[in-house]
Amino acid sequence: MTTRPSLAAVVSCLVAAAILAVLPFLISGYHQGLLTQVAVFFIAILGLDVLTGYSGQISIGHGAFMAVGGYTTAVMSYYHHTNLIVTMLMAFGICLAFGFVVGLPALRLSGVYLALATFALAVSMPQIPLKFSRFLGGSNGLQAQTVSHLWLYGVAWAAAAILFVGAWLILRGRTGRAFRAIRDSEVAATSSGVELPIYKTLAFGISAAYAGVAGSLFVLATNGYASPNEFTVALSLQILIGAAVAGLGSLWGVLVGAVFVGLLPEVSSSVPVVGSTHGQDVVFGLFVIVVILLLPTGFAGLLARLRVRLTRQSMASINSDPGTS
Amino acid sequence: MSAVQTREHPALRRDRLAALGPLGKPVNLILVGAAVFLLIGCLSSQIFAQQTVVGLAQGAVYGSLALALVLIYRATEVVNFAQGEMAMFTTYVAYQLTTSWHVTYWLAFALTLLIAFVFGMGVQLVFIRPVQHTSVIAVVIVTVGLFILIDGVVGWVWGADIKFMPAPFGNTVYHVGGVAIARQDIGTILVTIASVGLLWLLFQRTKLGLGMRAAALRPASARLVGVRVDRMLALGWGLAAVLGAVAGLMAEASEYSLQPSFMQPILLYAFAAAVLGGLESPVGALVGGVMIGIFLNLLGQYVSFVTSEIRLPFAFLVLIVVLLIKPTGLFGKKKVRKV
């Protein structure tokens, strides 16, 4: 019983892909960089959505997985001059393993406790390069190979497309059903034969692997520097916010969430009164709260509500008798 | 529902007993063991005693912030990720009062606590109440948004550079038997004891406190007997903000400097403390804070691997280990959940 994509979904995906493919040739390198940032958030939010939206495990620590992925790329590129694409695959693999490891203790935690533990992970992770500064470059960071804006744009969005399709394929079948069953009720899932430990750690692994690739691209997007200041807890918070704005448990809102966290700081910095670094935070924080107050289920929830309303209206227009609706 | 109601009075009673101090539990063995260990250590080594006193003062700060988190968690089952930033904001208010408007320190202290109370209530009314009944994730995200918002506002108004405030207890250092004890550390401990004591009196000896506890434990039944639950929840947020303000002011006083990020590590220690004590237990939060403060200081003194960079990850380790071995913490009670 695998779901098939609707025609509208396929068409909108193709249109989005076409726009993204043409766009870099129309805009400046700076704007390409911005959109690359959006792609990075897209991948990370996609990963978090698999974990939180589908398997119901909250994580405020995805910046930590991004850090692992980013440092994988930086270390391999700096010490061994490995091909950058290969380092991304390595980041995927290493973070997959790391995610499984983090997922094991997470089996015993849920809700608030899991949020706290992953938050602590996010706060602690940037301290690791400071401690092992000889190998990981300390607060100065580690320099990976630099790449052109266009190359990075292409690679980032290609990776985003592949990972999006990958997530869709995983979630539409047996695994996705197991995830959703766990999210809705662990007891019911277990009694229907879903093996909790396997699927819960699997969700963590997949999610972390996605974040790892995002981290790898993130490092390349910041001029190839992997430094602890880039992977602060704020990054984890941004990903979480992006996922909430997108709407958990739906892949269609992810692009909106990524645009929200990727572009809003830039847009708000051009607003005259609050155009400072701190003004950005003020606008961003306010927007986050307002969006959650107005749309508790995020953009995807809004879409779903619109769809319901549209179908109702068309049903009402079919039914000639207005009294029955 | 009626079956649940018969169990309510014992729950309140047990809660009161837990606040008075648990009697005859394995927790006591651990605590007595730790106390004996600390006593022997302090008597045999001056450096050990020194680190213990410093750790005690730091732990008092962690404990107050942890207590603020616990107050809110008990009332609304929400972990307030903005608690540290709220405390940071109120500390900046105190900075404004003392340095720019030349109010004396203790008057500014009192005014700050008042402002913190109103601020905490306002946050609950404006930001938390509308999402309270949606989902855990929505509330968490609102507090995360608050975190960023407060950070931005403080940076905007006061700038991100390091600020200095007058020291409330001066820089005197006493020498007791070869152990140097800063007057500031004693002051921190005393202020914490005083504020927690007052809070305890409020919760245990007044009708208002009873109402707040009832609203936190059984909101539906409390409403039925005429407790204004919403008002009580807002009060709880206000009191938590006051405790946070005390923690922030004392943390500032022992660090001698103020910058927008100064409460972030303390928030993490407070999380670890609250989890160690059991997220639902006020006593546990305080004991957990003190234990974590002392533990991290002694670790930094005697284990050369634990440098200042690795202090935070160690707090994280404490948190994880506690969660894995005893998820309910030292003082927490196991919740029985019906499927």
Side-chain angles (χ1 to χ4, degrees):
Chain A
M1 197 201 80
T2 49
T3 50
R4 287 166 174 281
S6 69
L7 188 65
V10 172
V11 168
S12 52
C13 275
L14 286 178
V15 169
I19 292 174
L20 284 168
V22 177
L23 208 55
F25 302 105
L26 306 174
I27 56 178
S28 68
Y30 170 73
H31 289 102
Q32 286 170 8
L34 276 183
L35 287 180
T36 306
Q37 200 76 16
V38 173
V40 169
F41 279 117
F42 182 83
I43 298 170
I45 293 169
L46 204 56
L48 185 59
D49 200 20
V50 170
L51 184 68
T52 307
Y54 285 86
S55 86
Q57 306 180 81
I58 194 170
S59 163
I60 315 187
H62 262 48
F65 298 123
M66 281 181 75
V68 173
Y71 270 93
T72 303
T73 288
V75 164
M76 292 315 287
S77 176
Y78 181 79
Y79 290 106
H80 305 289
H81 306 287
T82 316
N83 183 303
L84 289 177
I85 305 277
V86 176
T87 68
M88 275 171 220
L89 294 175
M90 294 175 71
F92 186 89
I94 288 174
C95 286
L96 187 70
F98 184 53
F100 270 115
V101 173
V102 174
L104 285 177
L107 283 175
R108 299 194 50 180
L109 308 176
S110 63
V112 170
Y113 291 93
L114 188 57
L116 281 179
T118 50
F119 180 77
L121 180 68
V123 177
S124 307
M125 193 55 93
Q127 303 289 322
I128 302 296
L130 295 178
K131 175 68 187 172
F132 303 99
S133 56
R134 202 171 292 166
F135 181 57
L136 295 173
S139 58
N140 290 328
L142 211 57
Q143 169 82 62
Q145 213 178 314
T146 50
V147 290
S148 77
H149 283 304
L150 192 61
W151 185 90
L152 194 58
Y153 179 96
V155 170
W157 279 108
I162 294 169
L163 291 172
F164 182 79
V165 173
W168 184 75
L169 288 175
I170 292 169
L171 293 174
R172 73 169 188 157
R174 185 187 182 83
T175 315
R177 277 201 305 280
F179 285 170
R180 281 190 293 265
I182 291 169
R183 176 192 64 191
D184 294 338
S185 165
E186 293 200 353
V187 178
T190 317
S191 43
S192 337
V194 173
E195 281 148 287
L196 284 190
I198 292 176
Y199 282 103
K200 284 180 87 171
T201 48
L202 180 68
F204 245 105
I206 294 170
S207 182
Y210 273 52
V213 174
S216 173
L217 288 162
F218 184 70
V219 160
L220 295 178
T222 49
N223 294 321
Y225 259 108
S227 92
N229 302 334
E230 303 288 342
F231 293 106
T232 56
V233 68
L235 182 65
S236 302
L237 299 185
Q238 277 180 315
I239 301 168
L240 180 71
I241 286 166
V245 169
L248 291 165
S250 158
L251 293 180
W252 305 114
V254 173
L255 189 60
V256 176
V259 169
F260 184 88
V261 289
L263 292 188
L264 184 63
E266 276 307 312
V267 174
S268 63
S269 69
S270 59
V271 175
V273 188
V274 291
S276 62
T277 0
H278 305 299
Q280 275 179 29
D281 288 348
V282 175
V283 173
F284 191 70
L286 265 183
F287 253 83
V288 170
I289 295 169
V290 169
V291 167
I292 296 302
L293 291 188
L294 295 181
L295 301 173
T297 46
F299 180 73
L302 180 72
L303 271 186
R305 256 189 287 167
L306 283 180
R307 197 177 304 152
V308 169
R309 186 170 297 175
L310 281 179
T311 18
R312 245 188 232 152
Q313 269 172 5
S314 55
M315 291 295 278
S317 62
I318 291 168
N319 294 343
S320 52
D321 181 15
T324 56
S325 69
Chain B
M1 209 51 214
S2 61
V4 177
Q5 275 178 356
T6 53
R7 267 187 255 127
E8 269 155 28
H9 291 293
L12 274 172
R13 196 180 130 78
R14 242 185 293 131
D15 184 64
R16 190 155 51 85
L17 284 177
L20 285 169
L23 305 161
K25 285 180 189 169
V27 180
N28 282 350
L29 281 178
I30 298 173
L31 292 181
V32 169
V36 169
F37 167 72
L38 287 177
L39 198 67
I40 294 173
C42 289
L43 290 176
S44 57
S45 153
Q46 289 171 0
I47 299 173
F48 190 101
Q50 181 111 39
Q51 291 298 335
T52 305
V53 173
V54 174
L56 197 63
Q58 287 177 353
V61 171
Y62 305 158
S64 329
L65 196 65
L67 185 55
L69 292 167
V70 165
L71 280 185
I72 288 181
Y73 182 76
R74 276 161 60 99
T76 41
E77 299 239 325
V78 172
V79 171
N80 181 9
F81 283 86
Q83 196 77 60
E85 303 308 279
M86 285 167 70
M88 180 271 289
F89 170 72
T90 45
T91 311
Y92 268 91
V93 170
Y95 163 80
Q96 182 74 21
L97 288 169
T98 50
T99 37
S100 304
W101 296 339
H102 305 292
V103 182
T104 52
Y105 187 90
W106 291 107
L107 182 60
F109 187 91
L111 283 175
T112 303
L113 297 196
L114 200 67
I115 294 170
F117 182 69
V118 176
F119 176 59
M121 296 225 308
V123 165
Q124 203 272 347
L125 280 175
V126 177
F127 297 115
I128 305 299
R129 189 170 293 179
V131 283
Q132 202 165 296
H133 300 292
T134 50
S135 69
V136 176
I137 291 177
V139 186
V140 164
I141 290 186
V142 168
T143 65
V144 163
L146 266 173
F147 182 111
I148 298 172
L149 178 65
I150 295 173
D151 243 17
V153 168
V154 168
W156 201 13
V157 177
W158 286 285
D161 50 327
I162 297 178
K163 301 272 195 277
F164 299 96
M165 273 172 70
F169 300 102
N171 299 323
T172 323
V173 176
Y174 300 114
H175 292 272
V176 184
V179 181
I181 301 174
R183 199 170 149 192
Q184 170 60 49
D185 287 344
I186 299 174
T188 302
I189 296 168
L190 289 181
V191 167
T192 307
I193 291 174
S195 46
V196 170
L198 285 176
L199 203 71
W200 184 84
L201 282 180
L202 174 69
F203 271 102
Q204 303 295 336
R205 292 280 177 270
T206 67
K207 205 176 168 191
L208 185 68
L210 185 69
M212 289 177 70
R213 281 185 294 143
L217 278 174
R218 295 279 187 276
S221 331
R223 195 171 281 125
L224 284 180
V225 295
V227 177
R228 302 203 170 211
V229 172
D230 279 342
R231 200 175 284 178
M232 295 300 148
L233 294 186
L235 269 178
W237 273 73
L239 289 176
V242 169
L243 266 177
V246 171
L249 284 162
M250 289 300 114
E252 188 283 331
S254 20
E255 284 177 23
Y256 300 112
S257 65
L258 180 61
Q259 55 186 10
S261 61
F262 90 111
M263 284 306 280
Q264 286 173 14
I266 296 177
L267 178 69
L268 188 60
Y269 297 133
F271 276 155
V275 169
L276 178 60
L279 254 183
E280 307 231 348
S281 159
V283 181
L286 283 172
V287 173
V290 169
M291 283 174 94
I292 288 208
I294 295 176
F295 171 69
L296 286 178
N297 261 296
L298 291 178
L299 211 61
Q301 177 70 33
Y302 291 104
V303 183
S304 58
F305 177 77
V306 184
T307 47
S308 59
E309 298 97 42
I310 210 88
R311 225 178 111 105
L312 264 180
F314 261 85
F316 164 61
L317 265 182
V318 170
L319 200 149
I320 290 291
V321 168
V322 172
L323 283 177
L324 292 185
I325 294 175
K326 198 165 185 304
T328 49
L330 288 177
F331 294 88
K333 291 179 289 277
K334 216 168 196 165
K335 257 192 186 165
V336 181
R337 199 175 40 184
K338 216 163 91 178
V339 178

